[in-house]
Amino acid sequence: MTADRSGVGTVHLVGSGPGDPELLTLKARRLIDSADVVMHDALPGPEIIATIPEEAAEDVGKRANGERTPQSEIDDRIVAHAEAGREVVRLKGGDPTVFGRAGAELSTCIAAKIPVEVVPGVTSAIAGPALAGIPVTHRDHASSVTVVTGHEAPDADAPPIDWEALAQSGGTIVVLMGVGSLDEYTAALADGGLDPSTPVALIERASWPDQRAVTGTLETIVGVRDREGVEPPAVTVIGDVVEAIES
Ligand code: SAH
């Protein structure tokens, strides 16, 4: 993406897909196998992480104290590796540009004049529902799908999510990072006029060996989450598509 500088490694922002190693792209597989360093967190899932060559793997997820590694530190490490001439894979769950901070890391590399490329991946926003038998669009049920975060960063500049407009959209709503905040946005959607009987599904660890899906309605799903002990990572799907396919 930027001009090549001799002696500087290239940074590849690579999507891992939702977790099944067979859902990696061929390009992701090749880059993981040949990179000098593969910087990852836990989101690609245990099966894919187990395939990263041991000498290349660098975990930049949670630190020993349980807190997330700050983005600024990850950015610094990416730049340091590339400037030392290493080929860097920054491996991200799903697709790197969907709530994956690819924007920040792209800007960092471009500012540091480091060659960088994006390698798209299969996003959990679409694959998660699909793997649970839910098509995010359907001729008879939904002509649009909106992907939103359930965890709006308080320090971010993006405009806030308009839940009332989403409630009126008539399309499918997919929420990522939305297990803890389920109470708040289901209430906001109901306040915005979405029918309380609208079906809702939570797909936990999509494509991991222990994938699980639970369903309820806008009114009942919080109770379902609590009873079943649903934990991140999970995708929330809201809309008639949840019931489109008879199981
Ligand atoms: N870039 C990722 C999303 C990163 S945000 C993508 O395109 O999929 C992290 C959120 O993604 C999680 O909180 C969860 O909502 C969702 N997620 C990622 N992988 C998942 C999986 N295998 N199963 C369920 N949800 C997943």
Side-chain angles (χ1 to χ4, degrees):
M1 241 174 155
T2 53
D4 220 338
R5 287 198 285 146
S6 61
V8 176
T10 299
V11 173
H12 311 268
L13 304 178
V14 178
S16 73
D20 178 349
E22 291 200 313
L23 294 177
L24 278 167
T25 62
L26 296 175
K27 189 164 186 177
R29 181 72 270 160
R30 174 173 60 75
L31 289 168
I32 292 168
D33 291 340
S34 64
D36 297 306
V37 51
V38 179
M39 300 172 68
H40 68 90
D41 54 30
L43 199 57
E47 289 192 299
I48 287 176
I49 291 171
T51 71
I52 301 172
E54 210 176 315
E55 62 284 2
E58 181 172 318
D59 189 344
V60 292
K62 293 215 167 75
R63 294 158 142 184
N65 62 7
E67 280 172 23
R68 283 178 70 140
T69 307
Q71 187 62 41
S72 57
E73 188 182 319
I74 296 174
D75 290 351
D76 291 348
R77 285 210 229 171
I78 292 173
V79 171
H81 281 310
E83 295 206 317
R86 296 182 194 112
E87 287 295 304
V88 181
V89 164
R90 175 70 176 106
L91 189 65
K92 311 263 191 173
D95 183 277
T97 64
V98 179
F99 302 126
R101 307 237 187 165
E105 292 174 11
L106 268 175
S107 302
T108 298
C109 291
I110 290 167
K113 299 200 166 23
I114 291 166
V116 57
E117 72 162 347
V118 174
V119 179
V122 174
T123 181
S124 67
I126 294 171
L131 291 163
I134 301 168
V136 291
T137 66
H138 189 291
R139 267 181 82 84
D140 301 328
H141 298 282
S143 302
S144 70
V145 53
T146 310
V147 179
V148 296
T149 174
H151 186 86
E152 284 181 274
D155 57 340
D157 288 334
I161 296 167
D162 185 344
W163 292 103
E164 189 178 342
L166 285 177
Q168 302 293 329
S169 76
T172 304
I173 304 164
V174 172
V175 187
L176 301 188
M177 296 175 279
V179 175
S181 56
L182 186 67
D183 316 47
E184 286 135 57
Y185 63 82
T186 49
L189 288 168
D191 286 349
L194 191 63
D195 187 336
S197 66
T198 303
V200 181
L202 298 172
I203 301 106
E204 197 182 28
R205 297 185 293 273
S207 90
W208 295 23
D210 53 354
Q211 168 179 319
R212 176 170 72 144
V214 298
T215 54
T217 65
L218 195 63
E219 208 168 25
T220 67
I221 195 70
V222 168
V224 174
R225 174 201 63 190
D226 294 344
R227 193 178 65 236
E228 301 290 340
V230 176
E231 286 184 10
V235 178
T236 311
V237 196
I238 303 168
D240 290 340
V241 289
V242 169
E243 287 181 346
I245 312 291
E246 298 292 321
S247 52

